[in-house]
Amino acid sequence: SSTLRAMTDPTSLPERLTPLIATFKKDDLEIIISLVAMAALADGKIDQAELDALKEALEAAFASPLSLMVVKTLVGDAVSRIRAAGEDTFAKELGRELGEKKMGEDGLRVAFTITAASNGVSDVERARLTMIGIAAGLTEEAILAIEREVV
């Protein structure tokens, strides 16, 4: 499976994330940071595999190597915003922002790539990402197709 390949091939994650992140504009950095943090936090915790995926995603977004401390700071700030708003509320607002920018599909590709980095996509993560996709104006069928494509 692609998930197994992603877990055993250390070069696959950056190779997969870089072109996905490149579809966003440079002034979309805050959305990218929020999106990758929300994806990693979707199951309530950010594990080491997800933190590594976040580092890869943010390095692609910034087009530069980042220290783990910088990544943890960026993600920590986003997690604080997510928890302050409430995860469901934040997910819906993030989805609306992605939809307004016509980035719903690309955003979900990034999010599913991040969540799949750690033992595949759980039901809880899938539900949260579906919430983002619906708020972005995507159908459940389109969301499922994106998950199949990425994972």
Side-chain angles (χ1 to χ4, degrees), residues 78-124:
V79 167
S80 294
R81 289 193 316 273
I82 292 165
R83 290 202 167 128
E87 291 180 26
D88 287 351
T89 300
F90 193 92
K92 290 174 187 172
E93 181 56 35
L94 180 59
R96 279 191 289 275
E97 286 182 50
L98 288 167
E100 287 169 11
K101 292 179 174 285
K102 308 288 187 238
M103 299 298 295
E105 290 181 9
D106 290 329
L108 278 188
R109 283 184 184 95
V110 170
F112 275 113
T113 300
I114 296 290
T115 57
S118 173
N119 302 316
V121 180
S122 72
D123 290 340
V124 172

Side-chain angles (χ1 to χ4, degrees), residues 62-84:
F62 283 92
S64 175
L66 299 174
S67 74
L68 194 54
M69 183 168 50
V70 168
V71 171
K72 285 181 177 180
T73 299
L74 291 169
V75 171
D77 289 347
V79 167
S80 294
R81 289 193 316 273
I82 292 165
R83 290 202 167 128

Side-chain angles (χ1 to χ4, degrees), residues 24 27 33 35 42 46 51-52 78 90 94 96 126 128:
F24 287 83
D27 57 345
I33 293 166
L35 176 64
I46 298 176
L51 187 58
D52 292 342
F90 193 92
L94 180 59
R96 279 191 289 275
R126 184 174 297 104
R128 187 65 43 106

